[in-house]
Amino acid sequence: MNLRLIAIGAGVLIILSLPLAGAMAGPDFAGQDDGKGGGLLSTLGLSDPSRPKGKPSPAARPAQPGPPVQPRTDARCGPEVSSQHGVEAQTCVLVGEGSTWGRSYYRNTSGRALDAVLTMMGPAGRTVQIRCVVGPGDEPGLCETPRDDSAGGPEGYSAVAEFAVPDDEGALLLRSGSNSPAPGDG
């Protein structure tokens, strides 16, 4: 057998086993003072020299259980509405982390692309408007205004989404509002 191949294979095995040896040594091994410069991980240059001795590495700290904490977002939504043309929508005002924005959830089963205009109205005449292209299909989508610093409480905001055919006539197929009454409420 070729000795060069055996030597290369042995070298690869040694290199691949070094991380395993470090992991088996535990997180405190790098911080132990063995009188020879800090142990295997320090010798290989794998320890963090800026970390005080005896302190575990950040990777060795126990992980917090569960998903990361998400900031709270409050939503004020109007009713889910649908049109005979195959468009369904629900429009909301969202508030979170000192920002307010509008969002419209929709589904377009009309068989053709539509234009949507989402308008967010706030205190003191503040208005933001965004256009979204609504592709055909049964998959839900959303149209959302940019987030803006809140100016007052969420009750001072409203959002309206209008879905129309993208042609010269622009026939309105559906209007959905964040503070619209539910169908049959008046």
Side-chain angles (χ1 to χ4, degrees):
M1 197 167 221
N2 190 344
L3 288 177
R4 204 178 311 179
L5 230 104
I6 293 173
I8 291 173
V12 167
L13 283 175
I14 291 171
I15 290 171
L16 292 175
S17 66
L18 287 177
L20 181 60
M24 289 177 20
D28 291 332
F29 187 79
Q32 292 177 354
D33 188 6
D34 60 5
K36 299 178 186 171
L40 177 63
L41 295 179
S42 295
T43 304
L44 296 173
L46 299 174
S47 68
D48 183 2
S50 65
R51 189 178 67 241
K53 292 194 182 253
K55 255 202 156 164
S57 68
R61 292 187 189 120
Q64 297 296 326
V69 176
Q70 297 292 323
R72 180 181 170 99
T73 301
D74 292 321
R76 197 179 83 252
C77 300
E80 294 179 32
V81 293
S82 60
S83 76
Q84 63 197 25
H85 305 288
V87 183
E88 302 171 9
Q90 182 178 30
T91 302
C92 305
V93 170
L94 297 115
V95 178
E97 294 188 314
S99 296
T100 306
W101 65 102
R103 180 183 292 167
S104 186
Y105 301 95
Y106 63 82
R107 178 174 284 136
N108 175 16
T109 59
S110 70
R112 58 185 167 185
L114 302 175
D115 283 336
V117 175
L118 176 59
T119 305
M120 174 78 167
M121 296 154 285
R126 295 169 54 160
T127 303
V128 177
Q129 192 174 69
I130 188 163
R131 291 185 176 278
C132 299
V133 175
V134 176
D138 196 30
E139 292 299 315
L142 65 89
C143 181
E144 185 172 271
T145 67
R147 297 173 187 219
D148 197 14
D149 292 338
S150 295
E155 63 281 346
Y157 288 87
S158 62
V160 175
E162 296 177 316
F163 297 84
V165 177
D167 61 13
D168 290 336
E169 295 177 27
L172 182 64
L173 302 180
L174 182 70
R175 180 177 288 132
S176 168
S178 63
N179 56 353
S180 301
D185 285 355

